[in-house]
Amino acid sequence: MHTRALLLSLAAIGLSGCAGISSTSEAPRGRAYVLNAHDISLTYAPGIDRVTAFGPIGTNLLHTANLDQAPDPNGDYTFYGGMYSWTAPQNGQGAWIDAQGEPKAWPPDVAMDTGPATVSSRSRAHIAASNPPALTGLVQHKRFEILPDASVIVTFALENVSEASVAAAAWINTAVASDSLIAVRRERGTPIRGWNDETIARFNSICTSPDANGWVLVRIPDAMWEGGGKIWLDTTPDIAVWRDGYWLLRRQPSVDTANRLRDIGEGPVAIYIQPDAGIIEAELYAPVTDIRSGDTRTDVEVWSVIADPVGTTAALP
């Protein structure tokens, strides 16, 4: 699998592929592209740069909302959910900026968040798309391919079109429904960081003890507080979300061995929980790298679907 992922990563820089036999459907902000292969379905909406559905055919393991709303013309944030990709760091040196080049931690740059993206190639089992240049000078190139074993390779390449080197990491979010479960690897002693002590205490209050493989269940239905909070775990970059009888397991093969994510206030695994707004996010980060002008950094995630009627960590590898 890793050899296959590496080959796809290298190929994705050019983002070439055969043109189109995937199906399409009408969607807010234009056409959505539907991949159906090997009993897996994936829907990508380039108008809002989101995967809006993913899972076994007939089941959506992603949470979406507000898909009928147009992106705000002033760049204010609209939560669409699904799968969406940003770049880290969000704050601090080298972080997100506004049109004047000043730090701006929120909302995300429209070009980075909703695009709109341009589809460059597609087939029954793959789709590739690119975003406009973000204010940071980075262009996102994304490719989704359903493999014969029903796993999905998500290739995320960051091309630096600015004149200066940019230190950045790929950051992929998947929105989680409020009745779902999340699982992370958190063996005893795993470092945890959060917005504040209350955020960490709230998170710990809805977690189980680790199982024999280090998996911990995060019981999202038990999150009853007001307001949002985010935690980061310095652990293996794996995260799983259970919904409607299936786990979506996401794995990031590249590991942040240099701890640069920690140094910039991020981490390989993160969870954001804001129950009253219905916003829960399962997040993985690739390592931070220095992308020189004209260069491209490519990272890969592997997505797998695991059947589990009740949602237990015993079903996870």
Side-chain angles (χ1 to χ4, degrees), residues 153-231:
I153 297 293
V154 180
T155 309
F156 190 2
L158 293 174
E159 178 188 4
N160 183 2
V161 297
S162 75
E163 297 181 355
S165 180
V166 178
W171 174 9
I172 295 180
N173 293 270
T174 44
V176 179
S178 59
D179 60 353
S180 299
L181 302 171
I182 297 176
V184 291
R185 294 191 190 272
R186 189 187 177 192
E187 298 176 351
R188 297 186 188 280
T190 296
I192 181 172
R193 290 171 284 117
W195 282 4
N196 50 41
D197 290 343
E198 181 183 29
T199 298
I200 295 173
R202 284 174 163 180
F203 178 76
N204 286 335
S205 73
I206 61 172
C207 289
T208 65
S209 298
D211 69 9
N213 292 317
W215 287 107
V216 166
L217 270 184
V218 185
R219 302 181 300 258
I220 297 301
D222 292 348
M224 306 296 288
W225 55 79
E226 295 183 358
K230 184 170 181 177
I231 62 90

Side-chain angles (χ1 to χ4, degrees), residues 79-138:
F79 176 75
Y80 293 108
M83 172 272 180
Y84 42 108
S85 50
W86 298 336
T87 62
Q90 181 179 0
N91 298 284
Q93 185 176 4
W96 298 356
I97 57 175
D98 62 17
Q100 288 72 46
E102 297 298 320
K104 183 183 181 182
W106 192 258
D109 181 352
V110 172
M112 176 176 66
D113 178 43
T114 56
T118 301
V119 173
S120 56
S121 69
R122 64 187 179 96
S123 70
R124 183 177 63 90
H126 97 278
I127 190 165
S130 299
N131 285 45
L135 294 169
T136 58
L138 296 175

Side-chain angles (χ1 to χ4, degrees), residues 7-297:
L7 292 173
L8 285 170
S9 299
L10 296 174
I13 295 176
L15 292 170
S16 60
C18 30
I21 58 172
S22 61
S23 62
T24 62
S25 63
E26 290 305 312
R29 259 48 63 210
R31 179 177 296 174
Y33 296 84
V34 183
L35 311 183
N36 285 308
H38 313 298
D39 298 321
I40 295 293
S41 180
L42 183 150
T43 302
Y44 177 68
I48 52 172
D49 188 28
R50 294 289 192 279
V51 176
T52 57
F54 172 77
I57 292 173
T59 300
N60 188 4
L61 302 181
L62 303 176
H63 172 61
T64 58
N66 307 311
L67 292 180
D68 59 338
Q69 294 188 24
D72 189 281
N74 299 316
D76 289 339
Y77 186 67
T78 299
F79 176 75
Y80 293 108
M83 172 272 180
Y84 42 108
S85 50
W86 298 336
T87 62
Q90 181 179 0
N91 298 284
Q93 185 176 4
W96 298 356
I97 57 175
D98 62 17
Q100 288 72 46
E102 297 298 320
K104 183 183 181 182
W106 192 258
D109 181 352
V110 172
M112 176 176 66
D113 178 43
T114 56
T118 301
V119 173
S120 56
S121 69
R122 64 187 179 96
S123 70
R124 183 177 63 90
H126 97 278
I127 190 165
S130 299
N131 285 45
L135 294 169
T136 58
L138 296 175
V139 174
Q140 299 180 24
H141 303 292
K142 284 161 283 196
R143 191 178 195 275
F144 307 90
E145 181 172 4
I146 305 172
L147 301 185
D149 66 358
S151 65
V152 174
I153 297 293
V154 180
T155 309
F156 190 2
L158 293 174
E159 178 188 4
N160 183 2
V161 297
S162 75
E163 297 181 355
S165 180
V166 178
W171 174 9
I172 295 180
N173 293 270
T174 44
V176 179
S178 59
D179 60 353
S180 299
L181 302 171
I182 297 176
V184 291
R185 294 191 190 272
R186 189 187 177 192
E187 298 176 351
R188 297 186 188 280
T190 296
I192 181 172
R193 290 171 284 117
W195 282 4
N196 50 41
D197 290 343
E198 181 183 29
T199 298
I200 295 173
R202 284 174 163 180
F203 178 76
N204 286 335
S205 73
I206 61 172
C207 289
T208 65
S209 298
D211 69 9
N213 292 317
W215 287 107
V216 166
L217 270 184
V218 185
R219 302 181 300 258
I220 297 301
D222 292 348
M224 306 296 288
W225 55 79
E226 295 183 358
K230 184 170 181 177
I231 62 90
W232 293 266
L233 296 169
D234 294 316
T235 185
T236 306
D238 302 335
I239 199 163
V241 176
W242 181 88
R243 186 184 193 188
D244 293 340
Y246 294 93
W247 285 102
L248 163 56
L249 172 62
R250 296 170 47 202
R251 315 186 84 169
Q252 166 64 251
S254 299
V255 178
D256 177 41
T257 55
N259 292 319
R260 292 185 69 180
L261 284 169
R262 180 197 62 199
D263 294 343
I264 63 171
E266 309 284 6
V269 178
I271 299 175
Y272 179 82
I273 303 175
Q274 188 176 356
D276 51 341
I279 301 177
I280 298 102
E281 296 170 319
E283 311 178 13
L284 290 183
Y285 295 71
V288 178
T289 55
D290 298 306
I291 310 171
R292 295 179 298 179
S293 176
D295 285 355
T296 300
R297 161 73 185 194

